[in-house]
Amino acid sequence: RDLMAFHCYNAQEDTYAFYPHSVRNIEDLCASIVRSHRETSQYRLEELQALRWKLFSREEIQAYQSKSEDEMWQHCAIRLTDAVQYVVEFAKHIPGFRMLSQNDQIALLKTGSLEVVLVRMSRFFNSENSTVFFDGKFAGPEVFKSLDCVDLIEAVFDFAYGMSALKLTEQQIALFSALVLINADRPCLEDRGRVQRVQRSVELGLTHILHRDNQENLMHKLYQRMAVLRSLCSLHMQKLHWFSQRYPLTAHSLFPPLYKELFA
Ligand code: CLR
């Protein structure tokens, strides 16, 4: 499950038909995306719910806060990369994704994988006390103090708060994640037309699910969330750039290769 495994993937093997022509096909498409989400989401909601009482103690928080800046960056980069790997796995099972060229698959993952991680973060977020499941317990923003990017952390927590207020079902999260990833407006795409067709099918799927759930009004809010995601990711890139200038050695030799490949 490393980046090379991803690079060697052969699009030819995938013969999945991804143009939905009937409600039945749309339902199949939704079912595949939901299954892929479930199989790559690491924790079930009930499990996360049951872990909510596990909070970091004052001493543990202090231990994170007294880590050096580059040590904490490296630690978070490893955690994020791990989460990104699951998103890569999720993407591979979105009907149509594997039929895109390798270049386009990588281009979509480069810009979209962190956005999907942030969408997924809302599942790992407890809005009652604004904490996120990190390293086995629930952590508030103060845990990330030594990263020295309060604005980014605050924006990420705000986003998770806003997402969890939408109270999306697992199926809605799955389809929304797929839509965030399969976006024909991303830079560096070879075959935009093909990406657009896959995007349309995912859009149909999300519309179908929202219609079935009687929540068509959510579509508009979800598009708004997508704009926020874009700004969060550019803030992350900015921070990373700034960090790698200050700590070139950590960024160069201690960050996971996939993290460097996707974001550097
Ligand atoms: C998101 C959902 C994934 C599991 C997961 C793993 C790592 C977590 C991430 C979630 C949420 C955001 C997170 C991250 C580790 C560090 C990062 C808590 C829960 C915070 C916001 C720090 C970002 C630091 C960057 C500046 C490097 O399925």
Side-chain angles (χ1 to χ4, degrees):
R1 297 207 307 106
D2 62 1
L3 76 159
M4 284 309 152
F6 173 67
H7 277 197
C8 298
Y9 181 72
N10 176 7
Q12 237 86 79
E13 283 167 27
D14 197 331
T15 53
Y16 207 108
F18 61 94
Y19 308 111
H21 293 298
S22 64
V23 170
R24 173 69 199 285
N25 287 344
I26 296 176
E27 277 170 358
D28 287 348
L29 173 103
C30 292
S32 304
I33 294 175
V34 169
R35 189 184 332 113
S36 182
H37 169 76
R38 192 182 340 107
E39 286 169 359
T40 60
S41 58
Q42 297 168 266
Y43 288 86
R44 283 180 291 117
L45 279 184
E46 310 87 74
E47 293 176 302
L48 289 165
Q49 195 70 33
L51 289 166
R52 278 183 170 211
W53 61 273
K54 276 188 151 201
L55 290 164
F56 283 116
S57 67
R58 181 173 293 281
E59 292 72 35
E60 287 169 321
I61 294 173
Q62 256 153 22
Y64 281 111
Q65 292 180 336
S66 56
K67 277 183 192 275
S68 66
E69 187 180 345
D70 62 328
E71 197 186 353
M72 189 62 181
W73 261 86
Q74 193 200 346
H75 187 78
C76 289
I78 291 171
R79 289 285 167 273
L80 276 175
T81 305
D82 188 49
V84 163
Q85 302 262 24
Y86 284 96
V87 173
V88 172
E89 225 38 55
F90 167 68
K92 287 185 187 171
H93 296 99
I94 298 174
F97 183 82
R98 291 161 106 159
M99 291 171 91
L100 305 173
S101 70
Q102 200 168 77
N103 173 81
D104 289 356
Q105 294 185 16
I106 293 171
L108 292 178
L109 285 167
K110 250 187 169 203
T111 42
S113 56
L114 185 62
E115 296 188 10
V116 174
V117 168
L118 294 175
V119 170
R120 288 176 159 212
M121 177 177 172
S122 60
R123 302 175 68 249
F124 291 74
F125 188 76
N126 180 357
S127 54
E128 284 162 38
N129 55 7
S130 278
T131 54
V132 63
F133 192 67
F134 165 79
D135 270 357
K137 291 189 183 177
F138 279 81
E142 71 280 5
V143 166
F144 303 95
K145 195 177 145 203
S146 46
L147 292 172
D148 196 24
C149 28
V150 202
D151 47 351
L152 175 62
I153 299 300
E154 245 166 46
V156 165
F157 273 71
D158 281 351
F159 178 79
Y161 190 90
M163 274 307 288
S164 61
L166 296 179
K167 304 238 177 291
L168 302 183
T169 64
E170 283 290 278
Q171 298 181 333
Q172 294 167 348
I173 294 178
L175 269 289
F176 180 55
S177 303
L179 190 60
V180 165
L181 210 56
I182 316 286
N183 181 342
D185 297 330
R186 300 294 195 188
C188 309
L189 293 173
E190 274 168 3
D191 190 346
R192 225 166 267 285
R194 196 183 269 240
V195 178
Q196 206 153 44
R197 288 196 294 277
V198 185
Q199 180 184 333
R200 294 242 169 82
S201 70
V202 177
E203 262 161 358
L204 274 177
L206 182 57
T207 312
H208 175 75
I209 283 207
L210 293 181
H211 178 76
R212 191 200 57 193
D213 299 341
N214 236 319
Q215 288 195 292
E216 277 123 324
N217 59 321
L218 269 181
M219 195 53 126
H220 169 69
K221 290 184 185 155
L222 291 176
Y223 278 109
Q224 284 176 334
R225 297 278 97 199
M226 285 168 95
V228 180
L229 276 173
R230 211 154 306 167
S231 71
L232 284 178
C233 287
S234 74
L235 191 54
H236 166 253
M237 293 303 251
Q238 220 172 293
K239 296 290 178 193
L240 174 63
H241 181 74
W242 180 85
F243 177 84
S244 3
Q245 290 195 324
R246 257 186 84 187
Y247 300 97
L249 211 65
T250 304
H252 179 262
S253 39
L254 298 174
F255 276 4
L258 181 63
Y259 185 82
K260 286 192 287 184
E261 174 164 352
L262 288 175
F263 307 122

